[in-house]
Amino acid sequence: MLQELSIRDFAIIDEIQISFQPKMTVLTGETGAGKSIIIDALGLLAGGRGSTEFIRKGEKKAVIQGLFTLPREANTYNILEEYGIDSEDGQIILQRDLYRGGRNICRINGMMVNLATLRKVGETLIDIHGQNEHQELMKPENHIDLLDEYDKKTSELRIQYQVVYQNYRKLKLSMEKKEADEKAWAQRLDMLNFQVKEIEEADLKINEEDELVGEKIDVVGNLGNAMNELSDVSDLSENLQEINTKISDAFYSLEDAARDISDELDSMEWNGERLNEIEERLELIHQLKRKYGDTIEDILHYHSRIEKELREMENAEQNSEKQERQLSEALENVKELAIKLSKQRKKSAKKLEKMIHEQLSALY
């Protein structure tokens, strides 16, 4: 507990020392007497944010000291040991000096520490509540949350109840949605069937579009090579001088050229068909991308999602009775857990009431 508080040159306070006794201490006084200033000083001692405005006018620094005593099992000693701060006599002295230039000097049992360390220790010694925080207790809508936070078992039951209730709400909303608009349900079912079938019939493959575009480029290149071959043959047939002088060789050359032309025409006919196939496939992919996603991966992801929705809707169509039974069972689970939670809350409330009375009686 806080034993003594010393404040010097802080706000309107010149110098003051306050000794505290066991149980409760009440600070009273008219408005402006400095009650809130003492609380502000305690906040700074606990590592709160400081300001040069706290320093008394005309002074260079403000000094705040607090003497605390704690039982040996208090967690504060573990923190002090972690930072190598001596606390063998069971007393802890916090000190904070605020300078006009903005500098802060913090000490714990005479050892200089940084503000973060002072805050870590101070949080275990001082707990400050604002003057309006008690108003939360006056709002009945907050009582349930406060009670559930108090008792671990009640909190666990509340979580279980929320899970089964959400399951019940999901089933109920699904049935209400179906019953509210049977026409829209049927239209949605037809649309999903069409979309799933359309994407499945396309039999899309990852990276297929890139491969088709690459093959298209190869096919067009082969056609270009065929045209060059035909051009060479044409030049060869127009060279009358060479044919007249080398009639024998020309005969065999033309015969070979005829065979080459036939082969190339066969190749061109095959490539033309393949090119058409590629163009049609790319157009199909383009149409599907306009409807279902920017990439083949997006289309396949969309297919998985609507296929799942379609299965759920078909199951709902086929299992209306089963769904009603599930809803009835879910409602029973909600009621059962609600009763358990209510009984546990009443039990916890009595326990909390008893502990509050014990705490209040200790203040007198």
Side-chain angles (χ1 to χ4, degrees), residues 116-354:
T117 305
L118 179 69
R119 184 181 300 116
K120 189 172 183 180
V121 174
E123 287 174 350
T124 67
L125 299 172
I126 302 171
D127 191 11
I128 298 177
H129 299 275
Q131 60 182 357
N132 294 321
E133 290 184 18
H134 69 281
Q135 293 179 2
E136 294 294 318
L137 296 174
M138 305 303 293
K139 298 177 181 179
E141 61 269 24
N142 294 331
H143 292 176
I144 287 291
D145 292 335
L146 293 171
L147 181 61
D148 290 348
E149 288 176 9
Y150 162 72
D151 186 75
K152 182 179 179 181
K153 188 173 182 180
T154 306
S155 179
E156 291 174 350
L157 275 174
R158 176 174 173 166
I159 293 172
Q160 294 175 29
Y161 172 81
Q162 289 172 337
V163 171
V164 297
Y165 179 75
Q166 288 301 322
N167 179 57
Y168 165 75
R169 287 293 300 161
K170 182 180 179 181
L171 291 170
K172 186 172 177 62
L173 288 174
S174 177
M175 289 195 67
E176 288 176 349
K177 181 180 178 181
K178 180 183 174 184
E179 293 170 358
D181 197 346
E182 290 285 349
K183 183 178 179 181
W185 178 278
Q187 290 175 344
R188 177 66 177 170
L189 194 62
D190 289 342
M191 185 185 71
L192 291 177
N193 270 309
F194 171 79
Q195 291 180 342
V196 168
K197 183 179 179 181
E198 183 179 35
I199 296 174
E200 287 179 348
E201 288 180 348
D203 192 25
L204 298 174
K205 303 291 188 299
I206 302 297
N207 299 325
E208 179 183 5
E209 188 175 16
D210 293 337
E211 293 173 0
L212 288 171
V213 171
E215 186 177 351
K216 178 181 176 182
I217 294 172
D218 292 340
V219 170
V220 173
N222 289 335
L223 289 175
N225 292 335
M227 292 298 295
N228 291 334
E229 291 293 333
L230 287 174
S231 177
D232 292 342
V233 173
S234 177
D235 292 341
L236 187 63
S237 66
E238 291 178 359
N239 195 340
L240 298 177
Q241 184 178 359
E242 185 177 348
I243 294 174
N244 289 329
T245 57
K246 297 182 179 180
I247 188 67
S248 179
D249 293 337
F251 174 79
Y252 292 112
S253 295
L254 287 173
E255 190 175 48
D256 291 341
R259 284 195 297 269
D260 290 342
I261 291 172
S262 178
D263 292 341
E264 288 300 322
L265 287 175
D266 290 340
S267 174
M268 287 175 63
E269 182 179 357
W270 178 86
N271 285 336
E273 292 177 358
R274 179 55 184 161
L275 187 60
N276 288 335
E277 291 177 4
I278 293 173
E279 292 285 1
E280 290 175 1
R281 185 64 176 173
L282 288 173
E283 177 60 22
L284 173 62
I285 293 174
H286 176 69
Q287 294 297 329
L288 292 175
K289 284 167 66 177
R290 289 180 59 188
K291 294 180 181 179
Y292 307 123
D294 296 332
T295 65
I296 289 179
E297 289 85 349
D298 292 339
I299 297 171
L300 295 176
H301 177 72
Y302 177 76
H303 172 265
S304 299
R305 182 163 58 84
I306 62 172
E307 187 179 37
K308 180 181 178 181
E309 183 181 353
L310 179 61
R311 286 198 302 268
E312 290 176 351
M313 292 183 72
E314 288 174 342
N315 290 335
E317 285 283 322
Q318 298 169 3
N319 302 314
S320 293
E321 292 183 2
K322 181 180 178 182
Q323 208 171 15
E324 290 178 2
R325 187 169 62 255
Q326 288 177 338
L327 181 63
S328 178
E329 291 174 356
L331 180 58
E332 289 302 315
N333 290 336
V334 169
K335 289 180 178 178
E336 181 180 350
L337 268 174
I339 293 172
K340 286 183 179 179
L341 180 58
S342 179
K343 289 181 178 179
Q344 183 61 36
R345 279 173 171 166
K346 291 176 181 178
K347 183 178 178 181
S348 299
K350 291 180 179 179
K351 182 180 177 182
L352 178 60
E353 181 183 13
K354 181 180 178 182

Side-chain angles (χ1 to χ4, degrees), residues 59-77:
E59 301 298 331
K60 295 181 179 180
K61 69 174 182 177
V63 180
I64 307 166
Q65 288 182 312
L67 171 64
F68 300 82
T69 57
L70 292 172
R72 291 308 305 176
E73 65 272 13
N75 183 54
T76 308
Y77 292 113

